């Protein structure tokens, strides 16, 4: 019998994917892979180098020459070419750039290869936009997390406030609408629930309730 398992969590921006995925990883003692952080690291590097975001070839070449490491521990850290960029990748500038570079097939190819390699190491919960549909199509449990636009915007806004980043709620909501549209409409690996995904609307639910629901669901599929 298999002794490792994979959980895929997808959904639109602000649905609570990373909060939930982290809580599940802690509860089950498994690996957490934040794939959005990897796309963000590439967007951050493009901005830092002043690369034009619409130059697909330039951005793709850069992605293939970039070393990205996700470190699991007390808190997750993201290293880009050896530099800790965990805080920098959450800025509004990176958030605006990321959906543009995430639409480039060569960028995705590079990051998906790293993601699949990580999933070989041990049991994993991975969050993103295409995990259940493309990165881990054989995942034991696929969750598609959603929440109302208002709730998602408020969560992101609160998160930014806590980080000391000033952005109005309206502007956060606008960014979310734009990003979701780009993520849903892109040609490669668009944001869409896998056919066999469990759709979970988190509006009004607590983190504990959501984690409980997912773990109970997992128990019907694998021996924990
Ligand atoms: O989850 P996040 O907000 O950190 O993701 C940042 C962006 O990266 C998101 O707008 C779309 C892109 N992304 C993606 O295209 N595929 C993934 N698996 C994860 C993120």
């Amino acid at each position: 019998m298999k002794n490792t398992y994979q959980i895929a969590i997808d959904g639109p921006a602000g649905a609570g994917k990373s909060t939930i995925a982290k809580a599940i990883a802690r509860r089950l003692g498994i690996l957490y892979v934040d794939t959005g952080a990897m796309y963000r690291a590439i967007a951050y590097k493009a901005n830092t180098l002043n690369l034009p975001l619409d130059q697909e070839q330039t951005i793709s070449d850069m992605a293939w020459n970039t070393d990205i490491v996700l470190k699991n521990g007390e808190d997750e850290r993201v290293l880009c070419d050896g530099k800790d960029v965990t805080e920098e990748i959450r800025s509004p500038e990176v958030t605006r750039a990321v959906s543009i570079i995430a639409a480039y097939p060569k960028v995705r190819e590079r990051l998906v290869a790293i993601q699949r390699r990580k999933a070989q190491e041990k049991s994993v919960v991975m969050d993103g936009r295409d995990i259940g549909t493309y990165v881990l199509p054989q995942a034991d449990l696929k969750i598609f997390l959603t929440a109302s636009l208002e709730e998602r915007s408020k969560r992101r806004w609160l998160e930014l406030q806590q980080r000391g980043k000033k952005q109005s709620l309206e502007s956060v909501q606008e960014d979310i609408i734009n990003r979701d549209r780009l993520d849903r409409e892109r040609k490669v690996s668009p944001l869409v629930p896998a056919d066999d995904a469990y759709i979970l609307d988190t509006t009004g639910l607590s983190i504990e309730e959501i984690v409980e629901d997912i773990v109970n669901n997992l128990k019907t599929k694998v021996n924990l």
Side-chain angles (χ1 to χ4, degrees):
M1 200 181 60
K2 248 183 18 147
N3 50 13
T4 60
Y5 56 89
Q6 301 173 335
I7 307 170
I9 302 186
D10 292 299
K17 299 181 298 294
S18 60
T19 308
I20 299 301
K22 262 183 229 169
I24 289 176
R26 295 222 167 96
R27 163 110 172 238
L28 301 174
I30 62 176
L31 196 65
Y32 166 49
V33 178
D34 175 356
T35 63
M38 302 170 80
Y39 289 95
R40 284 173 179 273
I42 297 296
Y44 166 78
K45 186 171 170 186
N47 279 351
T48 310
L49 295 176
N50 274 322
L51 298 181
L53 296 175
D54 58 352
Q55 301 273 314
E56 182 169 348
Q57 188 67 45
T58 309
I59 303 284
S60 303
D61 289 346
M62 178 271 277
W64 280 83
N65 284 301
T66 301
D67 183 37
I68 292 177
V69 176
L70 297 184
K71 282 176 106 178
N72 266 236
E74 262 306 289
D75 57 342
E76 290 74 24
R77 311 300 301 175
V78 186
L79 305 187
C80 181
D81 295 329
K83 178 178 180 240
D84 189 324
V85 296
T86 312
E87 306 302 326
E88 290 87 338
I89 61 169
R90 304 289 159 193
S91 74
E93 295 72 32
V94 170
T95 300
R96 282 187 201 115
V98 66
S99 285
I100 301 172
I101 65 97
Y104 298 151
K106 290 279 173 208
V107 171
R108 303 197 69 83
E109 200 183 301
R110 160 85 172 145
L111 299 185
V112 167
I114 302 173
Q115 293 155 14
R116 287 186 176 149
R117 224 176 299 133
K118 285 219 77 123
Q120 305 297 322
E121 291 173 16
K122 57 183 274 197
S123 294
V124 69
V125 52
M126 191 178 286
D127 79 341
R129 303 292 188 287
D130 59 339
I131 311 306
T133 51
Y134 186 68
V135 182
L136 303 176
Q138 310 296 334
D140 298 273
L141 179 64
K142 298 179 184 178
I143 306 286
F144 193 86
L145 277 192
T146 62
S148 69
L149 175 64
E150 289 69 29
E151 182 146 337
R152 293 190 288 120
S153 309
K154 209 150 136 219
R155 285 181 192 161
R156 268 289 143 92
W157 178 77
L158 275 173
E159 204 180 294
L160 285 167
Q161 292 270 310
Q162 280 158 6
R163 289 203 163 92
K165 304 239 154 61
K166 297 257 168 296
Q167 197 182 348
S168 71
L169 181 59
E170 291 71 32
S171 152
V172 171
Q173 181 155 324
E174 224 169 88
D175 283 351
I176 285 192
I177 293 171
N178 276 333
R179 215 140 60 91
D180 284 351
R181 186 176 47 77
L182 288 171
D183 292 343
R184 285 200 171 99
E185 291 178 359
R186 68 168 174 244
K187 289 206 182 70
V188 274
S189 302
L191 169 66
V192 43
D195 290 340
D196 49 351
Y198 171 49
I199 314 262
L200 185 50
D201 188 331
T202 65
T203 311
L205 293 181
S206 70
I207 296 171
E208 293 72 29
E209 286 171 316
I210 302 164
V211 170
E212 205 51 41
D213 191 353
I214 294 177
V215 171
N216 284 337
N217 208 306
L218 183 68
K219 282 182 184 157
T220 69
K221 313 214 177 242
V222 299
N223 283 325
L224 289 183

